[in-house]
Amino acid sequence: MNLVRACPRRAQHQWKLRELWRINGLRGTHRQRERVEDRRWPGWEVVVGIEVHAQIKSRKKLFSGEWERSEARTTHTNDAPNTSVSCFDAALPGTLPTLNPKCVELAVRTALALNADVQRRSAFDRKHYFYPDLPSGYQITQRYAPLARGGYLRLSRDDFTVRITQLQLEQDTAKSTVHAGRRVSLIDLNRAGSGLMEIVSEPDMRSPEEAGDYVRTLQTLLRAVGSSDGSMELGSLRCDVNVSVNRYGQPPGTRCEIKNLNSIKFVMTAIASEVFRHIELLESGRTVTQETRGFDENKAETFKLRSKEDSPDYRYMPDPNLPPLLLSQEYIEHVRSSMPELPSETRVRLLSMGLSERDADVLMTIDAGREVGFDGEIGKGAIAMTQDLLGQLASRKETFSDNPVSVEHMGELIDMVQSGKVTGEFIGVSQYLWCPGTSGKTLLRHMISHRSLDYPSKLAKELGLIALSQDDSSLVKEWCLEAIKELPQQAEAVRKGNLPVLNRLVGKVMKLGRGRANAETVRTLLLELLREES
């Protein structure tokens, strides 16, 4: 097999022409959009393109198959520094790369989800640049012949579509930690060589909000297809944002690139800061210099890192140790047939069940709409249960991926609430009476905190959380009288017609009864008792 792709000079020449288009303001490549005046910068048009670097969710690195990590982890942040390093990662002489097929499969899956054209033939290049955190001194990437070209991603805002330029495989770098006081930098090679997908968009976005929506939608897509956990706070998804401004009707201006943004909030803030900087320069008669910039999170400002390099500065060359990657059409169709439900399909399914757009969005943000098969009345109550689950996980500083409650256990808990075995009632399609003291919420909190594997029906009996029957009305009345006695000011306010205060009394009763009383029954009984006293 020929290791050097055919006609490299011609390919390099064609690439330089495309680069010139980008350098000169992306003329002819950015999409003309209907003009919408932005009050923040009247008379100016903002052009934004984003390069997303998503770490592939594979147990092995891209080219060092010997190294494995725990299945429970998706990043290297929990490993001791420099303990997950193979000989190839450390660039020891004589080591050769071995392509990880799982990374290829997940990247192909992502490309198909983005409606991109998966290339039957792609190839790897060496990007020579000063990498203090890559021992080899170069990065293996796909510059000239990427894994996929074209495609698009439909956003939720205004049903807008962002075009995709290409998707390519490449190595991640190591992690550098700078100690200013000691004047040293520490290098952790655990992350070096991990598989990355670089997803390059066309400059189709026109505001910080559209850019934030793009990253958020792409993040949801990556999680849905299982190719990346998309965790920006853990560094498994990072963004390089290209920004330029121009007067309406004029060609795009000079772009600047903002590197390594690790949250959607920072993406939006950095874009706004850079737009104001460009406008200030242009309105004062100065020019915008093409450069690479960083983002200061504390000052909410961008700062210069270096002048912008172009393709010749990186000295690309075909990697002599890696042959072209050849994919058969049968392989591509096999990956396509194994694709899970995409977020756009999940959203349509949830809306068809009668859920509101807001409720569907809640489930979409945590992938619950895909993982849980909501039907009928279960779908009506699952929204509020999921919202409460998210709230409890957030209070514990955990994500939905850390959720210990299985689909079966959540389904049984919803059934128990609907049947009245535990308290907490559904009212209408997406409204849910979920008082702080209901036994259903107490049971859910116990399942999360104790990470219990027992079914909710068994736990409810063990914890004494089974709802009271009609025969226990006298006990509920005693709790209501005690609540009125302990909260006299609230009781008096309800007597005078301030009904919202009644919720305080209901909460007190639910606390006294450990959530076993029916909240609506308690509400009705409290009103009767207060009217009798008045």
Side-chain angles (χ1 to χ4, degrees):
M1 184 177 294
N2 186 8
L3 299 183
V4 181
R5 72 183 57 80
C7 302
R9 289 182 180 273
R10 181 181 178 184
Q12 195 169 31
H13 177 68
Q14 291 175 344
W15 181 258
K16 286 182 178 179
L17 289 178
R18 290 194 294 268
E19 281 295 297
L20 286 175
W21 275 1
R22 295 179 179 274
I23 294 169
N24 291 315
L26 301 163
R27 292 179 177 86
T29 62
H30 83 289
R31 181 186 303 183
Q32 295 296 329
R33 301 265 307 276
E34 181 181 352
R35 177 176 176 177
V36 178
E37 188 76 18
D38 195 317
R39 290 182 294 179
R40 293 171 292 186
W41 33 78
W44 294 94
E45 181 183 34
V46 176
V47 179
V48 178
I50 300 180
E51 300 170 9
V52 172
H53 300 266
Q55 190 176 96
I56 300 175
K57 196 173 182 180
S58 170
R59 294 176 56 208
K60 300 179 182 179
K61 295 187 180 181
L62 186 56
F63 295 114
S64 53
E66 302 88 353
W67 183 87
E68 294 192 13
R69 61 178 174 225
S70 169
E71 292 186 24
R73 295 197 302 272
T74 56
T75 64
H76 316 285
T77 54
N78 295 328
D79 295 327
N82 296 308
T83 57
S84 299
V85 186
S86 71
C87 294
F88 179 79
D89 301 329
L92 297 183
T95 55
L96 294 173
T98 302
L99 181 61
N100 180 0
K102 185 63 176 179
C103 291
V104 176
E105 178 188 343
L106 294 177
V108 170
R109 185 184 295 184
T110 303
L112 293 174
L114 290 170
N115 307 286
D117 182 17
V118 178
Q119 302 297 293
R120 297 278 301 276
R121 181 187 185 278
S122 59
F124 293 95
D125 306 289
R126 288 184 179 183
K127 179 182 179 182
H128 291 81
Y129 188 65
F130 177 67
Y131 283 105
D133 41 14
L134 272 181
S136 62
Y138 60 83
Q139 179 190 40
I140 301 178
T141 183
Q142 292 184 314
R143 185 60 163 175
Y144 300 114
L147 183 71
R149 297 184 185 274
Y152 61 88
L153 180 65
R154 190 175 301 279
L155 309 188
S156 59
R157 292 172 59 92
D158 304 322
D159 197 28
F160 171 60
T161 299
V162 174
R163 295 172 297 168
I164 304 298
T165 305
Q166 67 184 44
L167 182 151
Q168 62 194 50
L169 286 168
E170 64 183 23
Q171 291 176 303
D172 203 350
T173 61
K175 180 180 179 181
S176 301
T177 304
V178 179
H179 290 267
R182 297 166 55 189
R183 302 182 67 180
V184 298
S185 295
L186 303 180
I187 305 297
D188 180 7
L189 294 176
N190 286 347
R191 196 178 68 184
S194 297
L196 284 183
M197 294 178 291
E198 181 176 350
I199 304 169
V200 184
S201 82
E202 292 287 345
D204 288 341
M205 288 154 278
R206 295 293 179 268
S207 70
E209 290 73 24
E210 284 186 358
D213 191 17
Y214 169 77
V215 176
R216 189 179 298 109
T217 305
L218 181 58
Q219 189 179 44
T220 302
L221 181 71
L222 295 174
R223 290 171 174 169
V225 301
S227 59
S228 175
D229 61 14
S231 178
M232 301 187 76
E233 58 273 11
L234 295 178
S236 58
L237 191 145
R238 308 186 294 276
C239 299
D240 297 341
V241 179
N242 292 276
V243 181
S244 70
V245 301
N246 59 271
R247 289 287 187 183
Y248 279 105
Q250 295 183 0
T254 302
R255 68 185 177 99
C256 291
E257 183 179 28
I258 311 169
K259 299 287 288 186
N260 293 327
L261 299 172
N262 60 359
S263 81
I264 295 175
K265 177 183 176 181
F266 292 157
V267 167
M268 298 170 62
T269 305
I271 291 173
S273 172
E274 190 66 4
V275 169
F276 284 122
R277 188 183 73 88
H278 284 212
I279 293 175
E280 181 182 0
L281 288 172
L282 295 173
E283 289 184 339
S284 63
R286 293 174 288 177
T287 60
V288 176
T289 304
Q290 185 179 0
E291 59 191 16
T292 301
R293 302 180 68 84
F295 179 66
D296 189 321
E297 303 167 4
N298 297 320
K299 297 181 180 179
E301 296 176 352
T302 64
F303 59 90
K304 181 177 179 178
L305 290 173
R306 58 184 181 270
S307 60
K308 178 62 181 177
E309 300 88 354
D310 296 319
S311 190
D313 297 311
Y314 293 116
R315 306 193 316 279
Y316 286 100
M317 63 166 285
D319 193 300
N321 293 328
L322 286 164
L325 175 60
L326 305 178
L327 302 178
S328 66
Q329 191 61 38
E330 291 77 13
Y331 173 82
I332 297 173
E333 294 305 320
H334 172 72
V335 175
R336 192 193 304 274
S337 65
S338 63
M339 292 277 288
E341 186 179 56
L342 298 180
S344 58
E345 299 168 345
T346 303
R347 183 179 178 83
V348 171
R349 177 170 60 84
L350 293 176
L351 293 176
S352 67
M353 291 180 181
L355 302 182
S356 67
E357 291 191 2
R358 179 182 179 276
D359 290 341
D361 288 339
V362 170
L363 293 178
M364 292 291 294
T365 56
I366 46 86
D367 287 342
R370 177 174 57 87
E371 295 178 2
V372 182
F374 297 121
D375 291 309
E377 291 298 316
I378 292 182
K380 300 175 183 180
I383 302 297
M385 298 277 294
T386 304
Q387 288 175 328
D388 190 73
L389 174 63
L390 286 173
Q392 294 198 31
L393 289 172
S395 66
R396 299 169 61 87
K397 297 182 178 180
E398 296 178 348
T399 64
F400 190 76
S401 60
D402 303 316
N403 168 36
V405 183
S406 68
V407 172
E408 292 79 10
H409 288 187
M410 178 65 85
E412 183 178 272
L413 179 58
I414 295 172
D415 288 338
M416 292 175 65
V417 173
Q418 289 181 310
S419 63
K421 293 181 180 179
V422 293
T423 55
E425 292 136 16
F426 304 109
I427 306 174
V429 173
S430 59
Q431 298 175 350
Y432 186 71
L433 181 59
W434 190 246
C435 297
T438 55
S439 58
K441 185 167 185 175
T442 302
L443 190 56
L444 180 61
R445 186 185 301 114
H446 178 88
M447 293 165 65
I448 295 173
S449 60
H450 291 79
R451 313 191 84 81
S452 175
L453 299 178
D454 292 330
Y455 276 85
S457 55
K458 180 180 178 181
L459 287 174
K461 294 178 181 178
E462 294 177 352
L463 299 174
L465 296 176
I466 299 297
L468 297 177
S469 64
Q470 295 292 335
D471 298 334
D472 298 311
S473 57
S474 59
L475 185 58
V476 177
K477 184 175 182 179
E478 291 181 13
W479 292 335
C480 290
L481 292 173
E482 186 175 349
I484 294 173
K485 181 179 179 181
E486 293 186 13
L487 299 174
Q489 295 180 350
Q490 287 78 0
E492 185 62 27
V494 175
R495 293 190 188 100
K496 294 180 180 180
N498 191 352
L499 293 181
V501 181
L502 183 64
N503 291 331
R504 293 285 302 276
L505 292 168
V506 173
K508 183 65 176 179
V509 173
M510 300 300 288
K511 184 177 181 180
L512 291 171
R514 297 186 62 206
R516 292 178 293 158
N518 181 282
E520 275 298 291
T521 301
V522 170
R523 184 183 296 272
T524 302
L525 185 56
L526 281 171
L527 287 174
E528 292 176 357
L529 292 174
L530 291 172
R531 286 169 185 161
E532 290 176 1
E533 292 181 4
S534 61

